[in-house]
Amino acid sequence: MRRAVCPGSFDPITNGHLDIVVRASRLFDEVVVAVLINKNKATLFTVEERMDLIREALSEHPSAPNNVTVDTAHGLVVDFCRSRGIQSIVKGLRAVSDFDYELQMAQMNNSLAGVETLFMSTNPQYAFLSSSLVKEVARYGGDVSGLVPDVVLKQLRDRA
Ligand code: PNS
């Protein structure tokens, strides 16, 4: 069984993340979207809210993949991989600026546990997109429709 994890903060999930998860679901038998808990990082949505938003976004997606689950993890992503029999981490790369840090993490994760990281090029439509920018634009009343799943859009509007 080929399993992959798409780890992240997902505060909140964007259409860029969703595109990577759906594309990964076509390459692996099982994909786990793991919401990593970082106690040092203030978030807009709770872990449970972020997980629910991901689940709803997946169920509303035209592909609605049935081999994707959503989970949460503390600590190292490689420990999560070990505990679930996951061999690969899938990450989206938006630009060269993402590459340095992602490469370092990929090499560290491989050296820690032999876990492979596969980089998928972000859909150019979403190359400029990040959860932080989405939150900032939404906070000041900007239009983020088309950049986030509809369920996320609704939540951002309710909180603005
Ligand atoms: O969405 P983000 O915040 O860019 O995701 C970063 C994340 C959560 C994928 C990364 O920080 C991570 O893997 N954190 C888990 C802790 C860990 O394993 N750290 C060592 C990485 S080499």
Side-chain angles (χ1 to χ4, degrees):
M1 186 79 89
R2 289 182 189 276
R3 297 189 186 91
V5 62
C6 295
S9 306
F10 302 109
D11 185 46
I13 188 164
T14 67
N15 283 346
H17 293 130
L18 197 54
D19 179 62
I20 296 290
V21 171
V22 169
R23 285 160 59 198
S25 76
R26 298 181 188 131
L27 302 176
F28 290 88
D29 299 309
E30 285 179 16
V31 172
V32 182
V33 182
V35 177
L36 266 298
I37 299 169
N38 179 350
K39 291 214 166 88
N40 298 321
K41 204 167 165 180
T43 58
L44 178 64
F45 296 100
T46 66
V47 173
E48 288 70 27
E49 287 169 336
R50 284 180 267 161
M51 291 171 71
D52 285 345
L53 288 172
I54 298 168
R55 288 194 187 101
E56 286 181 55
L58 282 163
S59 69
E60 283 178 358
H61 191 276
S63 304
N66 61 8
N67 59 341
V68 181
T69 55
V70 182
D71 208 336
T72 183
H74 291 275
L76 294 177
V77 73
V78 290
D79 288 337
F80 181 80
C81 291
R82 275 203 200 99
S83 69
R84 305 298 162 97
I86 293 171
Q87 308 88 353
S88 309
I89 297 171
V90 173
K91 292 280 195 80
L93 277 187
R94 290 166 296 193
V96 177
S97 50
D98 283 342
F99 185 71
D100 279 351
Y101 187 49
E102 290 296 343
L103 179 66
Q104 252 184 307
M105 284 199 285
Q107 289 169 332
M108 176 62 89
N109 286 330
N110 188 262
S111 110
L112 285 172
V115 173
E116 298 291 355
T117 297
L118 305 177
F119 294 119
M120 210 175 261
S121 57
T122 294
N123 184 329
Q125 205 183 336
Y126 306 125
F128 60 92
L129 200 47
S130 70
S131 299
S132 320
L133 268 188
V134 160
K135 282 182 284 190
E136 183 170 324
V137 172
R139 189 183 317 127
Y140 294 110
D143 182 12
V144 292
S145 56
L147 303 181
V148 292
D150 288 347
V151 278
V152 173
L153 188 64
K154 185 174 178 312
Q155 281 300 315
L156 287 170
R157 282 184 177 154
D158 287 352
R159 285 170 194 228

